[in-house]
Amino acid sequence: MKELEFDEMRAQIALLKSKIEKEEIVNDRLLLEVMNTKVRTIRTQALKHVGVGILAMAVMPTLHFIAGVSWTFIAATMVMLVFCIGATIYFHQPINSRSFIEDDVKTLAEKAARLKKQYQTWLHYVTPTLIIPWLGLYCYEVAKGMDITGEALYAMIVVICVGCLIGLLIGYSMHKKVVDSCDDIIRQIEE
């Protein structure tokens, strides 16, 4: 009788272990699926950042002919764009490596947290340091190149600032997608 009870208990324990293992496999698959989706979002945003930078570099020389912007300003802007593209590639390198998904969860969380911190630092320190002087110089270059004075100068500055604001909002939206994806990766791993 006791042996029958022990056999029954062993069978129930084996069944319970089997169910737990299946549930862990399902949870691991769901976690991996979420990770892949978030990593794809992060990689897509990196490609967009680099693509926009390359497009801006291709368009910059036309400003000399359209608005009379100096070649020196165009060259300086190109150097700034190369710096920004390089920083994007550098920041995303740990995420873009093939081993990212194969890393253990602690390493994944660390890489996502590092990318998020780099993005936040860039937003709060580098962006204002680059954009504010560049915007002022751009307004000066266009005004000088097109010989704009008086009220037309104020209208031109407003138009350029509105365009810059639209660009900043688009850039912030792209930034937020990366930061939110990093937060989602970190949150999923912590759960």
Side-chain angles (χ1 to χ4, degrees), residues 3 38 40 67 111 117 168:
E3 197 171 307
K38 296 305 173 183
R40 231 181 343 268
K111 287 180 178 180
K117 185 176 188 286
L168 286 172

Side-chain angles (χ1 to χ4, degrees), residues 74-113:
I74 291 170
T77 301
M78 294 248 201
V79 168
M80 181 180 77
L81 289 169
V82 167
F83 171 71
C84 293
I85 291 168
T88 298
I89 293 168
Y90 175 75
F91 291 165
H92 285 263
Q93 189 59 40
I95 304 293
N96 289 337
S97 71
R98 292 177 189 254
S99 67
F100 179 75
I101 293 298
E102 297 166 3
D103 289 337
D104 61 280
V105 290
K106 182 182 177 201
T107 306
L108 290 174
E110 288 171 355
K111 287 180 178 180

Side-chain angles (χ1 to χ4, degrees), residues 1-72:
M1 185 82 170
K2 277 193 171 197
E3 197 171 307
L4 185 61
E5 288 176 11
F6 282 132
D7 286 341
E8 208 175 289
M9 287 172 70
R10 284 186 193 121
Q12 287 177 351
I13 289 173
L15 181 65
L16 185 60
K17 280 184 180 179
S18 172
K19 285 183 179 181
I20 289 172
E21 286 173 1
K22 286 179 185 175
E23 206 167 292
E24 285 177 359
I25 291 171
V26 168
N27 286 341
D28 288 346
R29 284 186 188 151
L30 288 173
L31 180 63
L32 188 59
E33 190 176 313
V34 168
M35 293 292 181
N36 281 328
T37 302
K38 296 305 173 183
V39 168
R40 231 181 343 268
T41 300
I42 291 170
R43 289 177 178 163
T44 300
Q45 293 307 312
L47 287 173
K48 285 180 182 178
H49 287 129
V50 171
V52 167
I54 291 170
L55 179 64
M57 289 176 70
V59 171
M60 280 306 295
T62 62
L63 290 176
H64 175 73
F65 303 107
I66 294 171
V69 174
S70 72
W71 287 111
T72 305

